[in-house]
Amino acid sequence: MLNSYDYIIVGGGAGGIAVASSILKRTKDYKIAIIEPMDVHYYQPAWTLVGGGAFNYDKTARSMEHVMPAGVDWIKAAAATFEPDDNQITLADGQKLSYKILIVAAGLKLNWDGVEGLKETLGKNGVTSNYLPGLSRYTWELVNEFVGGKAIFTQPPMPIKCAGAPQKALYLSCSTWRKSGVLNEVDVEFHTATPGLFGVADFVPTLMAYMNKYNADLNFQSNLVKINGEAKLATFKQINGDGNEEIIEKSFDMIHVTPPQCAPDFIKSSPLADGNGWVDVDHNSLRHVKYENIYGVGDCMSAPNAKTAAAVRKQAPIVACNSINSLKKGHEIDKSYTGYGACPLTVEHGKVVLAEFGYGGKLEPTFPIEPTKASSLNWLLKEKIMPPVYWKMLLKGHEWLAKP
Ligand code: FAD
């Protein structure tokens, strides 16, 4: 017999756990399953701090069992295919499950194969990435021991999760070298596939001032395509001043790589996907545009917000309310998601520019602090306040400043 649930949630990351908890805060009437294959749940936003020597990596991981909300069935497996016309999903082992409401919260795919030679050399030869669990410790090892030479930081084409994270790695490295007195011996380069430093213009002057302060050489429309770790060579496809594509080779002593990112394959190949592979949702209600009993939350869906845990904090309660209303039928659908996301840019140790914005780059500051300036209060928020807000509020259904 087919196992049936009122709710099936695919993914036990920030989005999946937060929505489950937000539903359970409102009602215990429904049978909920979370499908999640991994044993460990990570607080990814702190990995930038780990790479800058400002946070203990062990504190970013908790057992999946620990974060699963009481009253939910944890199905420890990977979802493989969606059959939305039959209200069913199939797991990797072939088991089928049926649902009344499906919530897709499977995150995004880090495409390590998208850069030739990268997988073979990650974690050695001075090649690192804060995006891989555990490797932020290697970032810190490299940065802390660096006494001079060429340091490159890369950013792939958008969208990526936490679009500020590639430059945050640069800022904290430079801040470390400035403090230890070796910055003058370091040749710093930032290569981004994007045409500008940050997608929201209001924040660019402050960020640019920090890039200048650290004497970083900025390379726009410069996309890392290949790494030879042993030879310490990085290859970029760069659009030059005439608009032509050039292949540029750079030697490095250390390189921080942000991998190309895309929708997970099993979503991309499913009927739920839009043309780019993301779960195709209405940008304000987060309900699927075709299937009314399906929702998307977090990094895996199509809304053009900044893909961050901060965005999940606002999305989860809306998805919880809307899906409960869908089950009750006839109730109104909340369309209040404004695209809020936040990116705390750690421009130096002890200072953060807290970029909070919604669709179209509209500033949405939470606190009455000048939003485009670096502040020590925002560092405190990032280092000390946001981690407990994540573990004890977001994952537990306490919707602090996020109730719809
Ligand atoms: P995730 O939390 O990644 O969870 C997805 C889950 O789905 C995972 O547990 C995965 O195992 C599971 N899954 C995958 N495939 C399947 C499948 N087939 N079946 C079932 N389950 C599956 N955000 C901020 O707000 N602020 C920051 O400062 C910040 N900095 C960041 C820095 C770095 C280096 C990184 C990597 C991320 C950062 N983020 C930050 C982004 C933030 O962590 C993500 O946006 C957030 O975790 C998204 O939540 P999610 O649930 O969509 O995805």
Side-chain angles (χ1 to χ4, degrees), residues 208-278:
M208 202 55 101
Y210 272 96
M211 285 291 185
N212 290 336
K213 177 172 167 177
Y214 297 137
N215 211 10
D217 176 30
L218 298 185
N219 298 265
F220 298 116
Q221 302 190 85
S222 182
N223 191 22
L224 178 71
V225 289
K226 186 175 164 187
I227 283 208
N228 181 338
E230 278 177 13
K232 300 216 162 175
L233 283 177
T235 309
F236 297 87
K237 264 191 193 162
Q238 224 173 63
I239 308 290
N240 67 20
D242 303 327
N244 298 319
E245 196 174 87
E246 280 182 325
I247 301 291
I248 307 270
E249 207 166 66
K250 296 270 180 174
S251 63
F252 61 83
D253 295 292
M254 75 157 275
I255 184 166
H256 178 275
V257 178
T258 300
Q261 301 173 30
C262 57
D265 296 329
F266 78 109
I267 294 178
K268 222 186 265 180
S269 60
S270 80
L272 307 189
D274 72 359
N276 295 314
W278 308 103

